[in-house]
Amino acid sequence: MSARDIKIAPSILSADFARLGEEVRAIDEAGCDWVHVDPMDGHFVPNLSFGPLVVEAVRPVTDKIIDVHLMLSPAAPYLEAFAKAGADIISVHSEADVHLHSSLQAIRRLGKKAGAALNPATPVSALENVINDIDVLLIMSVNPGFGGQKFIPEALDKLAQASALIGSRDIDLEVDGGITADNAADAARAGANVLVAGSAVYKGNDPNTYGPRISAIRSAARSAQ
Ligand code: DX5
Ligand code: ZN
């Protein structure tokens, strides 16, 4: 199989929320591929962020793919609200949902791409029986809840295992947490083609830096393919 196109997905968790619209427009103009959005419930993860209202607010600002990574348990009651708010991809955590298969079906029925996410301690084998029901496989390379954490190196083995499980299927392999221009090549070499980057893009919140930072992560990842 030829290597999938590298996609860079800045996480708006590290954006300046007082200027959220401008911050989303800035990463769009800076050449991002997806806009990564991180709802958190203070229960599945030890932090609270925001809900569908923020997806609805950024939807008119960009035509880029809005990639919603739900850190909610349960997630199922909120899938329709995020779909209606304008998400293109909705990912649910395998650990957060005893009926993962059912939630993935529900996302597809809503006309959206379905993603399944795995925490660092969850083996890739947890997704073996839903591999034909997903469009995105998301490997967490930090424990979810906060931006700005350090990449957990064991994620590289998991990416390689996930890549093998995906095989020739049309599934994006996304890595999320602690990605920088310095480890993007390792992640891409292990098989990741979608790289989430929160602080590595938004740190300092200076829109003049977003373009060069996105390009640096992209070229590092491409060099490894
Ligand atoms: C963490 C979120 C990530 C986070 C990434 O719980 O899922 O998307 O915003 O931030 P960085 O790239 O700073 O680790
Ligand atoms: Zn995320």
Side-chain angles (χ1 to χ4, degrees), residues 96-168:
D97 198 339
V98 280
H99 299 296
L100 180 64
H101 178 268
S102 163
S103 295
L104 295 167
Q105 302 294 317
I107 295 166
R108 284 187 166 173
R109 268 200 310 275
L110 289 162
K112 308 300 178 180
K113 295 211 162 173
L118 295 179
N119 280 337
T122 309
V124 170
S125 59
L127 299 182
E128 264 170 25
N129 296 309
V130 291
I131 194 66
N132 294 315
D133 302 294
I134 63 175
D135 305 292
V136 175
L137 197 165
L138 194 171
I139 297 288
M140 286 307 302
S141 40
V142 298
N143 285 293
F146 301 92
Q149 303 180 77
K150 206 169 155 321
F151 184 85
I152 297 171
E154 285 75 13
L156 295 174
D157 277 346
K158 281 180 70 178
L159 285 168
Q161 290 162 16
S163 182
L165 176 62
I166 288 170
S168 60

Side-chain angles (χ1 to χ4, degrees), residues 6 14 16 21 38 51 53 68 72 76 83 88 95 101 110 116 123 149 166 170-171 196:
I6 294 292
S14 296
D16 175 352
D38 287 306
L53 201 61
V68 177
L72 317 177
D88 297 297
E95 308 84 2
H101 178 268
L110 289 162
Q149 303 180 77
I166 288 170
D170 187 17
I171 296 173
V196 176

Side-chain angles (χ1 to χ4, degrees), residues 5-6 26-27 44 65 68 74 93 99 105 159 213 215 224-225:
D5 253 10
I6 294 292
I27 52 164
F44 179 64
I65 289 188
V68 177
H93 266 266
H99 299 296
Q105 302 294 317
L159 285 168
R213 287 170 173 179
S215 301
Q225 279 193 324

Side-chain angles (χ1 to χ4, degrees), residues 32-132:
C32 78
D33 299 285
W34 294 1
V35 176
H36 186 84
V37 179
D38 287 306
M40 299 179 187
D41 67 354
H43 165 71
F44 179 64
V45 291
N47 195 12
L48 284 164
S49 58
F50 47 74
L53 201 61
V54 163
V55 176
E56 197 181 324
V58 302
R59 181 66 286 178
V61 174
T62 181
D63 291 329
K64 302 273 164 94
I65 289 188
I66 296 188
D67 173 36
V68 177
H69 170 202
L70 296 180
M71 285 161 275
L72 317 177
S73 181
Y78 305 102
L79 298 175
E80 187 174 355
F82 281 102
K84 284 194 172 144
D88 297 297
I89 300 167
I90 301 177
S91 293
V92 288
H93 266 266
S94 122
E95 308 84 2
D97 198 339
V98 280
H99 299 296
L100 180 64
H101 178 268
S102 163
S103 295
L104 295 167
Q105 302 294 317
I107 295 166
R108 284 187 166 173
R109 268 200 310 275
L110 289 162
K112 308 300 178 180
K113 295 211 162 173
L118 295 179
N119 280 337
T122 309
V124 170
S125 59
L127 299 182
E128 264 170 25
N129 296 309
V130 291
I131 194 66
N132 294 315

